Amino acid sequence: MPQEKKEEMERSFDAIVLGLGAMGSAATYQLASRGASVLGIDQLKPPHELGSTHGDTRITRIACGEGPEYSPFAKRSHEIWRDIESRTGRDLLTQNGLLVISGKGQRAAGHENPEFLRTTVAAADQAKIRYEILDGKTIRERFPVFNVNDDDEAYFDKVSGFVRPESCVEAQLQLAATSGAMLRFYEKVLKFEPDGDGVQVTTGVSTYRAKKLIITAGPWINQVLGLDRQFSITRQVLYWFGLKNQHQYPEFLPERLPVYIWQLPAPQSIYGFPLIGHPEQGVKIATEQYVDATTPDTVRRSVFPDEITRMFRTYVGPFFPGLDETCVKTKVCLYTCVKNARFIIDRHPDMKNVIIASPCSGHGFKHSAAVGETLAQMALGQSHLDVSKFSFSGVI
Ligand SMILES: Cc1cc2nc3c(=O)[nH]c(=O)nc-3n(C[C@H](O)[C@H](O)[C@H](O)COP(=O)(O)OP(=O)(O)OC[C@H]3O[C@@H](n4cnc5c(N)ncnc54)[C@H](O)[C@@H]3O)c2cc1C
């Protein structure tokens, strides 16, 4: 074969995946495991700390207060992660349960939904998840780390828990490469354009061609798409607070403490995790904000001491008597949001060979393995989970 033809073939693929974070690593793995020729490209080397997929843990729930249409993705993701665990020997998914706590009076919304507890219960009923409703006294008895009121109440199930995002990305990229995917790191996609019945992708290094392009650029999506319609990128801070008494650490272990989302009587709700690792590594708690928009290039990556003090005094100290003001670690991370915390999984409005997935809005990781599978199936013309509720129309 002439050298020129060989090089052209080496740069031609069934699919190219732009961005190899949570969604892109999953899509690349799923494409490669189906025997498709696939090129995965990232401007960095995932997992990294500049996008949306870092910070040790992510909550996973099948009963989603954001709406019952999300449940099939979380459910399927659990199956995929268990399968990946058995293939790689990694520890990805811990099902230590979930509490969604709310109560009387004015409560903070969960993912922009003031009725988050009620819609979680409705989604559990629809997905046939077994759960209990606990009153305040029972919550305190079973989970003594929480300082809840008597008239608070909580949804509690045992199928939820947390996933380890960095390990999931690493595992899927490893399996993708083993199945023949070509992975290019530190290579930035500069543009993409129609090319006959396919797409041409130009990076800072080369030009490639594919039948389909999947764009999973996370918080860089506005720059990559250059559309008039803008996603809202917001800065989020993760905090790890120390324990007051180290001997109390068993109460914070995953065997005793589920993940939780708490609609506080405060401006924002909080969510958090059990103790992962040594007691001196602290427990992770966070709030979320949808107001201050930013970009991945301009966001402030440092966390000021007064932010930590405010976080502890407003959202941690009054509600967790066992936690200390000492903050042992912080991380800044980015949400990529559209109205009502929806997902977008759709074809490009002007280029039908380009599939866009920005399923973040702050709750995308738990669905990412199945979103990757769905993207692969869409690209290969196979049947897939229902994405009709995740279209561009009317959302941005
Ligand atoms: C603080 C925080 C807490 C969260 N908590 C939860 C939770 O508890 N549960 C949950 O389910 N979800 C949660 N999420 C949401 C979830 O983590 C995200 O939905 C998910 O990680 C987003 O993955 P992604 O693949 O879209 O983006 P990313 O993982 O950021 O990947 C995008 C990739 O695209 C690459 N890229 C961008 N532009 C280019 C280019 N031009 N050329 C080449 N490469 C490019 C980037 O380098 C990057 O690696 C949270 C998010 C944050 C920020």
Side-chain angles (χ1 to χ4, degrees):
M1 185 187 297
Q3 183 63 16
E4 210 175 89
K5 182 80 188 156
K6 191 161 168 265
E7 280 173 12
E8 189 191 310
M9 278 181 67
E10 279 168 4
R11 293 203 306 268
S12 276
F13 301 87
D14 291 325
I16 293 176
V17 180
L18 187 172
L20 300 176
M23 309 299 160
S25 61
T28 307
Y29 163 50
Q30 294 290 340
L31 282 159
S33 68
R34 284 170 168 71
S37 62
V38 51
L39 168 67
I41 310 176
D42 203 288
Q43 62 188 353
L44 299 164
K45 188 166 190 307
H48 58 75
E49 298 208 337
L50 298 181
S52 303
T53 309
H54 56 281
D56 305 343
T57 47
R58 290 290 186 268
I59 290 180
T60 178
R61 313 167 257 128
I62 293 174
C64 296
E66 294 84 358
E69 62 276 22
Y70 295 95
S71 298
F73 290 88
K75 194 161 179 275
R76 177 68 188 134
S77 294
H78 283 199
E79 291 166 0
I80 295 173
W81 283 317
R82 287 293 182 225
D83 179 59
I84 296 176
E85 283 178 334
S86 70
R87 285 169 193 270
T88 60
R90 284 172 184 261
D91 176 13
L92 303 179
L93 167 65
T94 303
Q95 287 170 289
N96 63 319
L98 163 76
L99 281 169
V100 177
I101 310 172
S102 192
K104 299 230 158 40
Q106 186 71 30
R107 294 293 171 135
H111 286 303
E112 300 199 272
N113 173 5
E115 298 294 328
F116 195 79
L117 173 57
R118 192 182 56 72
T119 53
T120 298
V121 171
D125 286 336
Q126 197 158 329
K128 299 195 174 14
I129 303 287
R130 289 176 62 179
Y131 63 88
E132 295 172 74
I133 299 295
L134 311 180
D135 61 22
K137 189 165 161 282
T138 314
I139 301 170
R140 281 198 307 270
E141 278 166 10
R142 286 210 214 164
F143 312 107
V145 306
F146 298 115
N147 181 22
V148 294
N149 294 327
D150 282 348
D151 57 7
D152 281 354
E153 59 173 355
Y155 163 96
F156 176 56
D157 77 38
K158 292 183 178 169
V159 291
S160 303
F162 61 91
V163 247
R164 297 167 189 268
E166 292 90 345
S167 289
C168 291
V169 169
E170 273 171 6
Q172 289 172 115
L173 290 179
Q174 177 198 330
L175 290 175
T178 310
S179 303
M182 185 180 287
L183 303 179
R184 291 267 189 262
F185 298 119
Y186 303 112
E187 192 168 331
K188 184 171 179 169
V189 172
L190 304 176
K191 63 173 182 176
F192 59 94
E193 55 207 328
D195 179 18
D197 58 354
V199 186
Q200 179 169 292
V201 174
T202 306
T203 71
V205 175
S206 191
T207 300
Y208 307 97
R209 191 183 185 283
K211 291 178 195 153
K212 296 279 166 23
L213 170 65
I214 294 175
I215 297 182
T216 44
W220 286 268
I221 195 152
N222 288 325
Q223 288 96 316
V224 169
L225 290 182
L227 289 174
D228 294 343
R229 302 181 245 183
Q230 295 281 300
F231 292 73
S232 167
I233 314 298
T234 50
R235 174 181 180 269
Q236 312 293 336
V237 183
L238 302 167
Y239 301 84
W240 284 255
F241 285 99
L243 273 52
K244 265 190 193 144
N245 296 308
Q246 297 284 326
H247 70 264
Q248 274 185 332
Y249 83 90
E251 290 176 1
F252 288 91
L253 290 175
E255 296 77 25
R256 299 276 302 278
L257 183 62
V259 297
Y260 57 88
I261 298 171
W262 194 344
Q263 294 187 258
L264 290 176
Q268 294 162 12
S269 58
I270 55 170
Y271 63 91
F273 298 82
L275 181 67
I276 319 280
H278 297 295
E280 59 274 14
Q281 287 173 301
V283 291
K284 178 176 153 186
I285 301 183
T287 57
E288 47 185 20
Q289 65 87 20
Y290 294 89
V291 180
D292 298 328
T294 185
T295 73
D297 301 328
T298 56
V299 63
R300 175 164 54 82
R301 302 265 173 195
S302 60
V303 178
F304 291 150
D306 68 304
E307 287 181 87
I308 298 173
T309 305
R310 209 168 41 239
M311 173 71 185
F312 185 83
R313 293 195 180 155
T314 314
Y315 295 104
V316 181
F319 305 103
F320 297 88
L323 291 183
D324 187 59
E325 200 150 357
T326 316
C327 184
V328 295
K329 185 164 95 172
T330 57
K331 294 277 173 200
V332 168
C333 194
L334 296 165
Y335 278 5
T336 303
C337 295
V338 298
K339 238 183 346 204
N340 299 326
R342 307 296 301 165
F343 283 4
I344 288 185
I345 305 174
D346 200 358
R347 296 187 189 267
H348 189 285
D350 307 318
M351 291 174 67
K352 297 301 167 205
N353 289 333
V354 177
I355 303 166
I356 296 160
S358 176
C360 180
S361 286
H363 60 107
F365 195 86
K366 69 182 73 57
H367 308 292
S368 59
V371 167
E373 182 178 59
T374 303
L375 293 170
Q377 290 163 332
M378 287 170 78
L380 300 176
Q382 300 170 350
S383 63
H384 53 77
L385 292 174
D386 183 11
V387 292
S388 56
K389 294 227 166 124
F390 306 139
S391 70
F392 266 109
S393 56
V395 181
I396 57 169

